[in-house]
Amino acid sequence: MTERKPAGMSFETWLDKQIREGEQRGEFDDLPGKGKPLPDRGELRDPDWWARSYVAREGGVGGALLPESLQLRKEIERLPGVIEDLTSERQVREHVSELNKRIVAWLRSPSGPHVKVGPVDADETVEQWRAARAKPIQPPIVTEDRKRRWWQRRLS
């Protein structure tokens, strides 16, 4: 147990004494980051630095701190980009099914801000996936006029 601060000694002096004695005993020798500068030293801090550092340290994404209703809304908005990487209709339907299960669970006991969130239509999502896969990727057509710089066209 740490000894109590003597009545006549200032806190700063007493803390310095505690640190010095700890260093002499070798209590700080095996600390992680020993000899390295403190992170973000001298930089302006974001007011939410603690949350961002926690998420980074735990290996999560920034959206993990959002309320569940907003997380679901963002996931619905990102759905077209997510399903374009899937390779079969079954995978698309499974992904939509899992998302809908989470949406229904939230609708049964909503928490956090009430954001309009509803189940995703699996058939419509599959049609979007099919349409995106059917489009052949064509390189842009470059004409002689497009090769000229905009300022060259303006001067003509």
Side-chain angles (χ1 to χ4, degrees):
M1 187 165 112
T2 307
E3 66 185 70
R4 297 180 70 85
K5 179 184 85 62
M9 186 180 279
S10 71
F11 276 108
E12 189 172 349
T13 308
W14 180 69
L15 287 173
D16 288 338
K17 178 182 174 233
Q18 294 292 319
I19 292 170
R20 187 182 66 251
E21 289 175 357
E23 286 176 337
Q24 289 172 351
R25 289 190 300 268
E27 294 178 3
F28 303 122
D29 290 343
D30 296 331
L31 294 177
K34 180 183 177 202
K36 297 179 184 172
L38 294 174
D40 301 329
R41 177 89 187 212
E43 294 178 10
L44 293 176
R45 285 220 179 229
D46 178 15
D48 298 325
W49 66 270
W50 58 273
R52 294 186 200 290
S53 65
Y54 174 77
V55 170
R57 190 172 54 247
E58 296 299 318
V61 292
L65 298 177
L66 291 175
E68 189 172 4
S69 59
L70 293 175
Q71 286 180 13
L72 292 170
R73 183 68 174 263
K74 287 185 84 149
E75 199 165 332
I76 291 170
E77 289 173 0
R78 289 191 305 254
L79 188 61
V82 172
I83 62 170
E84 74 181 15
D85 295 335
L86 300 178
T87 57
S88 70
E89 182 179 325
R90 183 183 54 79
Q91 288 178 333
V92 174
R93 289 188 183 277
E94 286 175 359
H95 185 78
V96 171
S97 174
E98 288 299 317
L99 177 60
N100 282 340
K101 285 179 189 175
R102 292 181 29 231
I103 291 171
V104 169
W106 180 80
L107 288 171
R108 287 187 179 147
S109 60
S111 61
H114 288 278
V115 178
K116 188 174 180 179
V117 176
V120 177
D121 184 5
D123 294 329
E124 183 179 319
T125 306
V126 168
E127 287 304 317
Q128 290 174 355
W129 174 78
R130 284 182 185 150
R133 292 181 65 86
K135 289 183 195 173
I137 300 173
Q138 297 177 354
I141 299 171
V142 179
T143 62
E144 283 298 319
D145 187 46
R146 290 200 52 161
K147 287 183 181 177
R148 293 186 353 192
R149 303 266 186 237
W150 66 269
W151 52 271
Q152 291 173 331
R153 289 192 302 264
R154 261 189 119 180
L155 294 175
S156 304

